[in-house]
Amino acid sequence: MGIVLITGATAGFGQACATTYAAKGYDVIITGRRKERLEAFKTQLTQEFGVNVLALNFDVRVEQEVNEVLGNIPEEWRKIDILVNNAGLAAGLNTIDEGSTSDWDAMIDTNVKGLLYVSRAVIPWMRARTTGHIINIGSTAAKLVYARGNVYCATKAAVDAISQGMRIDLLPYRIKVTAVHPGAAETEFSLVRFKGDEEKAKDVYKGFIPLSAQDVADVVFYCTSLPPHVCINDLVVTPLQQANAYYIDKK
Ligand code: NDP
Ligand code: 8X3
């Protein structure tokens, strides 16, 4: 089938994407910082689907780590057909005058710089084969800024712009670039945003049916299952009760 590399595959969208691609017979490269989870997930995928799995334990924020780990993967794994740039987070939900600079650093370093470091390492392999598909996970937060979303929204707007730039620059190499912008989805996202506060995290999804990680994985898979001459450039997917990053009809 092919090889797919998914960053941030220890939870949420990334984990659902890895399962979805493995179920379709793809060999998968899974990444994340939580080593035990990553190794357990590798065992699960291998046993359940009989595909080859490469687990890479690194932090996308650390350029040297990204380059060392990806630079050392075996030759046969470099034929990456699909790169899903998914690793990311929101840290905090504060007004700009009260935000924590370390939260800002975490979001900018992960959502923007991490995506760039991984892409920079992988794109030359795609370019050499004049084929490939990059999926960048943006957000409805890329399209509309919501109160206290400031820096998180800015990082996702950057993902939107970077995706457009990639699409142009990689046209000559026939590499597809798709930005997928999900709305509210119940994963570990809010638990991370609220630093482990389970009540606060649960409250985010009260009064409406959010997307699941699997919903997003299905959309990502769809984008990569189209004929070679067709490319979805930009896709926004929300729960039925959500119109955009700001309007959710909670009842
Ligand atoms: P989760 O918190 O469930 O998963 C995030 C994944 O990213 C984890 O596997 C985590 O792994 C990984 N990750 C985070 N930081 C790093 C890092 N520095 N280096 C390597 N891996 C990292 O969140 P979601 O699945 O919901 O989020 C995935 C993406 O989707 C993010 O980019 C998020 O911004 C975006 N998004 C989420 C939405 C939602 O409502 N849930 C909506 C729109 C977009 P580990 O901790 O093991 O490193
Ligand atoms: C995540 C969606 O609106 O909770 O990107 O920030 S939101």
Side-chain angles (χ1 to χ4, degrees):
M1 290 298 309
I3 297 177
V4 53
L5 189 165
I6 300 152
T7 64
T10 53
F13 300 166
Q15 195 166 39
C17 285
T19 306
T20 301
Y21 281 99
K24 300 282 184 188
Y26 280 81
D27 291 331
V28 292
I29 305 177
I30 52 174
T31 88
R33 291 165 302 175
R34 286 170 286 182
K35 197 173 183 353
E36 274 179 27
R37 268 205 200 200
L38 196 65
E39 291 301 333
F41 188 39
K42 174 184 168 165
T43 306
Q44 185 197 325
L45 289 175
T46 311
Q47 287 176 354
E48 205 166 324
F49 303 111
V51 296
N52 296 305
V53 181
L54 183 65
L56 302 177
N57 181 217
F58 64 90
D59 186 329
V60 297
R61 292 174 297 183
V62 186
E63 184 179 10
Q64 201 186 339
E65 253 184 61
V66 172
N67 290 334
E68 269 175 23
V69 173
L70 288 175
N72 283 311
I73 65 172
E75 193 65 36
E76 65 270 21
W77 279 103
R78 295 183 183 190
K79 292 179 181 144
I80 294 166
D81 298 288
I82 301 164
L83 165 64
V84 183
N85 276 316
N86 163 76
L89 80 165
L93 188 65
N94 299 296
T95 57
I96 201 74
D97 49 311
E98 289 180 346
S100 132
T101 54
S102 64
D103 282 349
W104 296 350
D105 285 343
M107 291 187 279
I108 293 167
D109 290 351
T110 311
N111 302 355
V112 183
K113 292 168 72 180
L115 178 147
L116 287 169
Y117 296 153
V118 172
S119 301
R120 184 66 185 82
V122 171
I123 288 169
W125 297 328
M126 291 183 168
R127 193 181 56 197
R129 298 168 62 226
T130 53
T131 186
H133 195 158
I134 299 169
I135 303 277
N136 292 327
I137 302 296
S139 169
T140 45
K143 306 289 186 181
L144 183 70
V145 177
Y146 55 83
R148 299 170 186 259
N150 43 62
V151 176
Y152 178 69
C153 297
T155 64
K156 291 301 182 176
V159 171
D160 195 353
I162 289 165
S163 302
Q164 292 177 50
M166 282 184 174
R167 179 87 177 99
I168 297 165
D169 295 346
L170 301 177
L171 272 178
Y173 310 109
R174 302 297 182 257
I175 297 170
K176 296 186 187 184
V177 180
T178 303
V180 172
H181 301 284
E186 195 162 7
T187 60
E188 293 179 10
F189 177 84
S190 291
L191 201 61
V192 171
R193 166 171 255 172
F194 297 121
K195 296 163 183 154
D197 186 330
E198 291 184 13
E199 278 312 303
K200 255 186 170 174
K202 267 197 192 133
D203 275 354
V204 173
Y205 308 104
K206 278 191 181 146
F208 71 107
I209 303 171
L211 297 173
S212 67
Q214 189 59 51
D215 293 327
V216 175
D218 289 341
V219 168
V220 168
F221 184 81
Y222 173 74
C223 292
T224 62
S225 65
L226 296 169
H229 67 288
V230 182
C231 180
I232 295 177
N233 298 319
D234 198 60
L235 186 153
V236 177
V237 52
T238 64
L240 175 60
Q241 286 167 262
Q242 180 177 26
N244 57 40
Y246 183 73
Y247 288 104
I248 302 185
D249 184 26
K250 294 192 178 187
K251 295 219 166 63

